[in-house]
Amino acid sequence: MTDFAHRDHAALLTRIRFALETPNDLEPAARAALIQDIAIAEDRFAATPLPWPIELHGGVIENRNGVNIYAAPDAETLASEIAAYCRCWWAETGDDRDPTHLADEEVIKAYFDDHACESYIVDQIRVAPSATLAVAPRDRLEQGRYCVISTVHLTAQTAARLDDWASWPPTDRPIDIAASVYGWFVPTRPIDDDRQPHLPDDILRVIAFGRERGFAFVLLDCDGGDVDGLPVQNW
């Protein structure tokens, strides 16, 4: 999957769906290959906002006030945006027709035919990821996602514990948390059996909540929103 593209990603999603639907039919080698391909796709998405080439439709309107620039994913959407500009200034054309009852192409043609001082051009542009994009090996780069939820999902006693633990040396903490301005980052990795008895039930529920949804961390923040599936505490 070195030449990653939109169709490759769609094919990968299909393979993942089949693997989830019939997990017992997947041979060990095929499972290992699928996991590797998922890892490569994760790296691509983490390294660049543009993992595959895309086609953009661009337009420029030159008018007495300057230049208006438009970009859209397809020609129809671009025409709709340019036509919206034309309808906004339609009264200047002297055309008695109602532009809201005209097709976009007709509105555009009529508007610019009547405006010698204004013009427009459209073009199609292909935008590709950088050819020099370098993805760090996964064994050297740890990646993850986090979600933000409210501290109301903790009791006041647990919140006080987290404040206390955050000031301890990392090796002494029951979990490797980090304090933020208004809360704490909590990792969602599985807790060792010998540490679980030292953790309150509410923080264990938060960790399980984040891990089940694919997040590497949960940010407990006083300004975060409350979520379904976790008890809400009043304090």
Side-chain angles (χ1 to χ4, degrees):
M1 294 182 64
T2 54
D3 185 20
F4 192 75
H6 181 271
R7 62 180 179 276
D8 298 310
H9 186 67
L12 176 60
L13 292 177
T14 299
R15 291 167 58 199
I16 294 171
R17 177 169 59 82
F18 285 159
L20 292 173
E21 289 176 344
T22 57
N24 295 331
D25 294 343
L26 199 63
E27 296 293 334
R31 179 180 292 106
L34 178 59
I35 292 172
Q36 178 63 20
D37 286 346
I38 293 172
I40 293 172
E42 289 174 339
D43 285 339
R44 294 287 301 192
F45 277 89
T48 173
L50 187 64
W52 50 66
I54 61 172
E55 303 290 338
L56 286 178
H57 294 255
V60 176
I61 296 177
E62 295 187 13
N63 54 61
R64 62 179 177 271
N65 297 314
V67 175
N68 291 17
I69 300 175
Y70 302 87
D74 53 65
E76 292 75 15
T77 303
L78 178 64
S80 175
E81 294 179 359
I82 294 176
Y85 167 88
C86 298
R87 291 186 176 100
C88 179
W89 299 98
W90 185 258
E92 297 184 357
T93 65
D95 194 320
D96 293 333
R97 292 177 296 174
D98 183 349
T100 62
H101 295 159
L102 302 177
D104 290 341
E105 293 77 6
E106 190 173 0
V107 166
I108 293 170
K109 184 179 185 306
Y111 181 87
F112 288 103
D113 283 349
D114 287 338
H115 278 71
C117 62
E118 295 191 15
S119 63
Y120 81 102
I121 58 172
V122 296
D123 199 359
Q124 187 171 344
I125 307 166
R126 180 178 174 84
V127 183
S130 171
T132 59
L133 176 66
V135 179
R138 290 183 65 82
D139 58 357
R140 297 212 317 263
L141 180 63
E142 184 175 352
Q143 303 178 33
R145 301 186 305 153
Y146 72 92
C147 65
V148 183
I149 65 175
S150 175
T151 51
V152 298
H153 295 300
L154 302 178
T155 64
Q157 293 79 7
T158 296
R161 282 196 188 185
L162 294 181
D163 265 338
D164 191 26
W165 291 344
S167 66
W168 292 6
T171 54
D172 295 341
R173 300 171 190 165
I175 52 174
D176 189 20
I177 65 170
S180 69
V181 178
Y182 301 110
W184 312 269
F185 276 97
V186 178
T188 63
R189 65 177 66 95
I191 306 297
D192 295 337
D193 292 341
D194 58 340
R195 289 193 175 191
Q196 287 197 24
H198 301 286
L199 298 178
D201 289 341
D202 51 355
I203 198 64
L204 290 174
R205 284 193 294 265
V206 165
I207 292 172
F209 173 89
R211 186 169 61 252
E212 289 167 0
R213 288 158 179 78
F215 296 105
F217 294 89
V218 173
L219 172 57
L220 288 152
D221 191 287
C222 65
D223 293 327
D226 58 319
V227 297
D228 294 334
L230 290 175
V232 174
Q233 310 295 330
N234 295 317
W235 57 281

